Amino acid sequence: MKIIAADVIVSSPDRNFVTLKITTDEGLTGLGDGTLNGRELAVASYLTDHVVPLLIGRDPHRIEDTWQFLYRSAYWRRGPVTMAAIAAVDVALWDIKAKAAGMPLYQLLGGASRTGIMAYGHASGRDLPELFDSIRLHLDLGYRSIRVQTSVPGINAVYGVAAQPGVDGKRYDYEPAQRTPLPAEEDWDTRSYMRHLPGVFEAVRNEFGPELPLLHDGHHRMTPIQAAKLGKALEPYDLFWLEDCTPAENQEALRLVRQHTTTPLAIGEVFNTVWDYQTLIREQLIDYVRSAVTHTGGITAMRKLLDFAAQYQIKSGIHGPTDISPVGMAAALHLDLAIHNFGIQEYMQHGALTNEVFRQSFSFTDGYLHPGERPGLGVELDEEAAARFPYQPAYLPFNRLKDGTVHDW
Ligand code: EZ4
Ligand code: CO
């Protein structure tokens, strides 16, 4: 088999997505996701201008060789743009291989290790009644694990808080990228946040009881000692995890956090290779790996990363916001089903327009996802629908402190 075409499709139904479609001389096609929120066109160009010409004529079955070729022949290694582009190719090739085998992809990864994939959803509120409503809405949607994000008195706009939770048919969850010509400016104060958050978790536990798995995302905003203090303060509320408590480019920072708290730690949605985790995994400084298949070099690289993590009883918590396309989500679900050290899967539901462009075949029943039994990833791209939604510039917001200093968002 030979690759005869590779097309990059940028479409913006509910938001921007970068999709790679690889076509073979035998008529099989494969899809890969290269969406990098707010920097989509950089990946599209990397693929169109620098990768697609290298793919024509290659044997699509040689996935490992193609991965190594793209990674090493560029000379310039790592980085979100490069690794998203490699991921798009890698996932498209796995889609083709599984279609050629006539099997759902998870079968080629070793088969199912479980019957369903536990998912968590995003609840949020500006105050406790709104937060409780949002948690109830998510329980009604079938979620059995819930991420809790809250507004903070004195801060105007906080990451993760949906403006209109569950009303009038609008999105019930949080979509951070905004179709604005400039990034939106939000504000932040770590001391107010740290004072407010434990009381919110206490109230949620009192309302919903001790069993419900609760998660929280710190979104890289604390210093190590602040993160240690927050982790300790949240211990009575038995979190499933505290995510991205520090920026963690400095992996050693997590040593300090770890010495002070038994709250489980999850990190890595902005990482893109196993090297970003080397100290974190070897020294057992985290409990969950948060990378997205889409941003970490695809199935091939994620499998190696998660196998490394497994040696230390560290589990998966694959990134699954709406800025991962249905193609990237499907790749995550096949991997989740196959690996032994599965932890939990983030699942924000895509909007109606996105589902018009991407025909998905996964299921979500009683809180558990399953990728389905179609050969390959199980996702089809409707290119005519995709063409109806051209690219629209959109940016993630950023934070400034009260004195104007730029802060992690
Ligand atoms: O802010 O994917 O845990 N989930 C997250 C996400 C990220 C977005 C950024 O594009 O932190 O909501
Ligand atoms: Co996060």
Side-chain angles (χ1 to χ4, degrees):
M1 208 168 13
K2 279 189 168 32
I3 295 171
I4 57 166
D7 300 290
V8 179
I9 297 125
V10 181
S11 177
S12 194
D14 299 295
R15 57 167 5 280
N16 292 316
F17 293 113
V18 177
T19 309
L20 178 69
K21 178 187 168 193
I22 295 181
T23 306
T24 71
D25 58 350
E26 295 184 10
L28 285 177
T29 59
L31 297 175
D33 176 27
T35 306
L36 186 62
N37 203 359
R39 294 292 185 272
E40 296 87 358
L41 297 185
V43 183
S45 162
Y46 192 106
L47 284 167
T48 307
D49 297 326
H50 302 295
V51 172
V52 167
L54 312 180
L55 297 177
I56 308 303
R58 291 184 74 84
D59 176 358
H61 278 307
R62 297 184 63 182
I63 298 177
E64 178 73 25
D65 183 68
T66 301
W67 197 101
Q68 299 296 343
F69 168 67
L70 292 177
Y71 186 74
R72 291 170 203 285
S73 72
Y75 186 67
W76 311 108
R77 295 178 189 205
R78 307 164 60 179
V81 175
T82 298
M83 299 314 291
I86 293 176
V89 175
D90 182 81
V91 169
L93 295 182
W94 277 109
D95 192 18
I96 289 171
K97 192 185 279 293
K99 283 178 182 169
M103 291 179 182
L105 173 55
Y106 74 82
Q107 293 290 11
L108 273 59
L109 302 174
S113 286
R114 56 196 49 78
T115 52
I117 297 159
M118 183 169 72
Y120 74 89
H122 289 193
S124 66
R126 285 168 291 187
D127 52 25
L128 287 176
E130 195 176 85
L131 175 60
F132 289 180
D133 283 350
S134 177
I135 294 173
R136 284 192 198 99
L137 173 76
H138 281 78
L139 294 172
D140 289 347
L141 286 167
Y143 288 103
R144 295 292 170 265
S145 303
I146 310 273
R147 188 184 89 159
V148 170
Q149 304 295 128
T150 172
S151 291
V152 176
I155 304 179
N156 295 318
V158 178
Y159 161 80
V161 180
Q164 297 166 301
V167 289
D168 63 44
K170 295 251 172 76
R171 298 194 66 86
Y172 66 89
D173 59 13
Y174 184 68
E175 172 55 69
Q178 295 170 41
R179 287 167 167 166
T180 48
L182 292 172
E185 184 177 318
E186 299 187 346
D187 56 334
W188 183 248
D189 180 70
T190 308
R191 280 169 57 82
S192 305
Y193 163 72
M194 289 179 56
R195 268 198 308 274
H196 185 64
L197 193 67
V200 170
F201 271 92
E202 184 183 19
V204 170
R205 275 287 174 232
N206 287 340
E207 181 73 13
F208 293 93
E211 293 294 333
L212 183 65
L214 298 175
L215 302 82
H216 179 72
D217 193 344
H219 229 244
H220 327 273
R221 285 170 304 206
M222 285 166 277
T223 65
I225 199 68
Q226 289 170 336
K229 187 174 175 182
L230 184 70
K232 224 168 148 174
L234 293 175
E235 278 172 22
Y237 315 114
D238 190 26
L239 265 61
F240 185 95
W241 78 33
L242 172 62
E243 175 184 346
D244 288 337
C245 61
T246 67
E249 283 101 329
N250 174 19
Q251 297 182 38
E252 290 164 23
L254 269 290
R255 284 186 194 136
L256 193 148
V257 182
R258 201 62 152 172
Q259 277 165 14
H260 291 284
T261 180
T262 55
T263 292
L265 302 174
I267 249 172
E269 70 185 34
V270 301
F271 294 175
N272 43 70
T273 72
V274 67
W275 306 106
D276 300 320
Y277 288 96
Q278 208 174 22
T279 301
L280 296 178
I281 291 177
R282 212 181 41 222
E283 296 187 19
Q284 303 184 110
L285 303 180
I286 58 171
D287 301 280
Y288 296 92
V289 166
R290 285 288 286 140
S291 274
V293 176
T294 299
H295 300 144
T296 315
I299 295 275
T300 298
M302 277 296 276
R303 181 69 196 244
K304 292 176 187 181
L305 166 57
L306 291 171
D307 283 348
F308 174 40
Q311 311 311 311
Y312 300 88
Q313 290 174 281
I314 295 169
K315 296 187 178 192
S316 71
I318 297 182
H319 196 212
T322 41
D323 46 281
I324 300 298
S325 90
V327 174
M329 273 303 290
L333 297 185
H334 286 279
L335 195 55
D336 287 334
L337 200 66
I339 57 174
H340 177 251
N341 57 326
F342 169 76
I344 199 167
Q345 172 66 52
E346 183 180 28
Y347 175 47
M348 285 171 81
Q349 305 189 9
H350 284 114
L353 299 180
T354 300
N355 291 331
E356 262 180 54
V357 173
F358 298 92
R359 306 267 159 76
Q360 314 191 38
S361 57
F362 73 93
S363 58
F364 180 55
T365 315
D366 294 332
Y368 287 87
L369 289 155
H370 193 286
E373 299 298 339
R374 295 234 196 108
L377 289 169
V379 184
E380 281 167 39
L381 178 71
D382 182 333
E383 289 183 65
E384 278 176 24
R388 277 193 274 122
F389 305 106
Y391 169 78
Q392 292 193 36
Y395 283 105
L396 288 169
F398 75 108
N399 270 337
R400 283 193 193 275
L401 305 180
K402 298 254 182 291
D403 70 354
T405 307
V406 171
H407 191 73
D408 294 282
W409 169 69

